[in-house]
Amino acid sequence: MRDRLLDELAPVPRHEFLVYVMGPYKSTGPDENEALFDLLVTVRDRLRTESGVNAFLAVDPEIPLEEVDAATQSIAFARASNAVVFVLPFDGDNLGVGVEVGSVLEDIYQSDDTNRAERIVLIHEEGVRSAMLGGVTRRWDATVYAYADADELLLRAKEFVGNVVSRESTGDLPRLE
């Protein structure tokens, strides 16, 4: 999957550094979640332009659901990525994202790859309450941040991704290639 993503995504300075950006949205047609989708697009685009990493949404590579179902795609994209950024805004259907977060983290937990959880951040808007948020830190040891507005969300995402880039470059985390 990693090679396929690298082939399909537009080049950026750190083309080999994949960042999977996830959140609640519907990928077909205009709907009430357009602002949520736009927020994810902004996070993706700013990571690409300001951090130079190869950030992508699940809809960016042209992989039909008939070929790989959505749940399998999420796990495969997360496995292929150097970092994963889950975004949980207050509005939107976070149930689906919660299921995806749980399945991705459980896949990592079951694989016994202790470094993988260090590559995952869940950034939720202040006011989002979920038992899953506590479980993310207790069960899987992934990072969780809150944000008040889009600027803080972008700052948190860029800081986290920058940290993973730095840790890979110093050898603290193994490089994914």
Side-chain angles (χ1 to χ4, degrees), residues 17-148:
F17 195 93
L18 292 170
V19 178
Y20 181 30
V21 179
M22 295 180 58
Y25 66 88
K26 294 179 183 167
S27 61
T28 55
D31 61 277
E32 68 280 356
N33 290 322
E34 189 172 331
L36 301 176
F37 183 74
D38 290 346
L39 178 65
L40 295 175
V41 167
T42 298
V43 171
R44 177 203 62 200
D45 291 351
R46 298 270 303 268
L47 286 171
R48 290 179 67 82
T49 58
E50 295 172 19
S51 299
V53 296
N54 208 348
F56 68 98
L57 303 176
V59 295
D60 292 337
E62 295 185 20
I63 301 174
L65 292 176
E66 296 77 31
E67 181 182 333
V68 181
D69 66 82
T72 304
Q73 273 189 14
S74 292
I75 291 169
F77 291 163
R79 283 182 186 168
S81 296
N82 300 72
V84 178
V85 177
F86 292 108
V87 178
L88 290 174
F90 188 74
D91 292 328
D93 177 12
N94 288 321
L95 175 62
V97 174
V99 169
E100 286 185 278
V101 169
S103 64
V104 166
L105 288 168
E106 189 63 16
D107 176 70
I108 290 166
Y109 180 78
Q110 295 297 323
S111 73
D112 239 0
D113 186 351
T114 57
N115 292 321
R116 296 298 296 169
E118 296 177 57
R119 298 174 179 274
I120 297 175
V121 65
L122 194 148
I123 310 172
H124 66 88
E125 189 170 7
E126 291 176 355
V128 171
R129 302 286 179 256
S130 166
M132 177 63 89
L133 292 175
V136 166
T137 56
R138 283 189 302 279
R139 179 175 174 87
W140 298 297
D141 198 30
T143 302
V144 176
Y145 294 127
Y147 72 93

